[in-house]
Amino acid sequence: SMYSPRVKGAVVVPLVLPSKKTPLTVEQIAFLEHLALDESGKLGIFAGYCCMILHMRLRWMDGQFCQHEPFLDLFQGRGFLECSLYHHKTAGRQKHSKRLLPAACNIPGFTGSDWASIWLERRKNHGLVAGPGVPTMPAPVSSGGWSLLPLEAAQATSWLREILRSIHPSVPMNLIGTHSLKAS
C-alpha cells in the first residue's frame, strides 16, 4: 500500500548518500611502492601491506586474516603475490568457514618494481609471519617490535594520511582512508 510505514519513510526521510573515500592517485601509489622498496623499518612494512591491500583490492581488516604468510609466484620477475583469507566481510554467517578466499595481485606494481619480494623479506627479518590468530599487519609497539593485535583501520588511516601528506602538504587528507586503498 502507498500508506505503509516503509513507503512513508522513504518519501519523508531525505536520501543520505554514503560518503566514499577518495581513491589514491598514481603518484601516491608509486610513493607507497617506493616506501615498501626503500624503507627497512616499520614504515616499509606498513607501506608494503598498503600495497598488498591496494593491489589485491581488499578491505583493510580482510587482509589481516591470511591463513598463511603471503607468497610469491614469479617467473622472470613477473607474476603474483598471493594469499588465502580465512575471514572476510563477505563471508556471511560462516565467518570461520573451512573455505578460504584466495586473493592475488600482479607483480611488478605500477612503478615496474617488485616491491613484494623486498616486503616479504623484510617481514621475515622482523619476525612477522601471518597465520590464524596472527595479523598480517600487526600494530607497531612504541618500545620496538610488534603487537599481537592487528593495526586497526582508524590507526592505519592516521598513519597513511601522515605519510601521504609528505608528498603534498597542502592537499586536504580528510577524504583519504584505508578504504582509499580498495577504491584505487
Side-chain angles (χ1 to χ4, degrees):
S1 137
M2 294 295 287
Y3 299 103
S4 74
R6 173 181 259 170
V7 171
K8 185 176 179 182
V11 172
V12 174
V13 177
L15 176 65
V16 178
L17 295 173
S19 65
K20 301 283 186 185
K21 291 299 177 192
T22 302
L24 299 184
T25 64
V26 171
E27 181 184 22
Q28 291 169 326
I29 295 168
F31 184 69
L32 288 173
E33 287 184 6
H34 285 298
L35 285 176
L37 285 164
D38 300 337
E39 293 288 332
S40 60
K42 293 176 181 177
L43 180 57
I45 300 287
F46 174 74
Y49 181 75
C50 287
C51 289
M52 182 186 96
I53 294 301
L54 182 143
H55 290 300
M56 290 185 182
R57 299 189 46 78
L58 296 173
R59 292 175 181 85
W60 182 266
M61 287 308 292
D62 288 352
Q64 294 282 26
F65 299 103
C66 289
Q67 179 72 19
H68 304 286
E69 181 70 4
F71 62 94
L72 288 166
D73 180 5
L74 296 177
F75 178 73
Q76 297 180 347
R78 297 191 168 286
F80 304 96
L81 174 65
E82 303 176 39
C83 68
S84 297
L85 308 174
Y86 63 87
H87 174 89
H88 49 93
K89 182 178 178 180
T90 56
R93 285 191 274 170
Q94 301 297 325
K95 289 293 186 184
H96 296 286
S97 164
K98 301 265 189 263
R99 175 178 274 169
L100 299 174
L101 176 69
C105 67
N106 291 320
I107 300 298
F110 282 4
T111 59
S113 300
D114 175 6
W115 57 267
S117 292
I118 293 170
W119 175 64
L120 291 173
E121 185 63 31
R122 291 203 175 121
R123 286 181 54 77
K124 189 187 326 179
N125 294 343
H126 281 252
L128 298 175
V129 180
V134 182
T136 312
M137 180 65 225
V141 180
S142 61
S143 61
W146 302 93
S147 168
L148 297 176
L149 300 172
L151 181 65
E152 296 292 331
Q155 299 163 322
T157 292
S158 297
W159 200 356
L160 184 62
R161 287 176 180 171
E162 182 181 322
I163 63 176
L164 292 178
R165 190 173 285 120
S166 68
I167 303 174
H168 296 293
S170 61
V171 174
M173 291 287 156
N174 59 327
L175 293 180
I176 297 285
T178 57
H179 210 73
S180 296
L181 300 169
K182 182 172 175 50
S184 296

